[in-house]
Amino acid sequence: MIVLGIETSCDETGIAIYDTGRGLLSHTLYSQIALHAEYGGVVPELASRDHVRRIIPLLEQTLEESGVARSDIDAIAYTKGPGLAGALLVGASVACSLGMALDIPVMGIHHLEGHLLSPLLSSDPPEFPFIALLVSGGHTQLMRIDGVGRYTLLGETLDDAAGEAFDKSAKLLGLSYPGGPEVSRLAETGDADKYRLPRPMLHSKDLNFSFSGLKTAVLTAVRNCGEQLEMQEKHDIARGLVDAIVDVLVAKCLSALKETGFNRLVIAGGVGANRQLRAALDAMAEKRRFRVYYPEMEFCTDNGAMIAFAGAMRLLDNPASAEKDYAFTVRPRWPLQELTNRA
């Protein structure tokens, strides 16, 4: 079964071809980072327009690289939500139009489900069940994953996501967009003892998170440095921020594993590429004897491969989940827990 995946939830246009027999055949990605950099963040209208420009050429390129003809495609999976409404509509309209033209089924995929299942694309995938930490610019959630469509929310952020804390703090430090990777880089040579920032909800006795206070702590540290923020101060503040976020994430993951009795932990989402987080989790996994699974680096951020794969897994689990219904809607807000009822 060959599934075409289309991802347009925010500022990356991703197209992929996944074959349930041969695996991932091809995937292409266009990032809008340069487009949005001068604004310091994603501009929704510009994002939507750029998806319109990029999606068809990327589709043609992906088909050519995979060696798959349009007539070979059995189903189309597209990101239905959550995300930017205009951006989502671009992918949905192309998917449903192509599905109608080819007379094949289409299915709307939850963007976060794609992230949760993306580690299964690796050469050493985890087996169900497992605990998943979904950590990105817009989401920080701990989930229990018992199978495709069988997701239980264990805890989530009550305000800012971890990725937001990185990006907002990067702006306060005068770093360019996107700031998260740059904060991580600066932190590598920062003094760990210079700024001991708060660890929000570290001892809350639940699995929820809160990162908005860290932005305020960074702002206070920056202001205390005076008008001229020296480069070494930026490194030290970045180190304090990264250490605080990593400590909280690792502690909550350990608590989730302890509560469920599981020994498999999956990290998904863009922040999952953070070097300090991976190092801390790997060290703790060796000490506490559990396994950590990460998606390949190219699948940490938004991509079409995870959407094609999620669609294929849905079809294998429930062939009736894809229909020849080409009237589409998108879900800019879409709780992941609703997917359990679709399994």
Side-chain angles (χ1 to χ4, degrees), residues 89-134:
L89 284 168
V90 176
S93 61
V94 170
C96 292
S97 298
L98 184 58
M100 179 181 291
L102 297 175
D103 191 30
I104 59 176
V106 296
M107 58 191 311
I109 297 297
H110 196 293
H111 176 75
L112 302 185
E113 181 175 37
H115 277 302
L116 288 173
L117 298 179
S118 61
L120 298 175
L121 282 165
S122 67
S123 58
D124 182 25
E127 296 181 359
F128 297 116
F130 54 79
I131 296 298
L133 172 66
L134 179 59

Side-chain angles (χ1 to χ4, degrees), residues 22 90 141 191 284 292 331 338:
R22 293 177 290 168
V90 176
Q141 297 176 319
D191 184 347
M284 189 58 69
V292 188
R331 297 280 303 274
E338 290 184 11

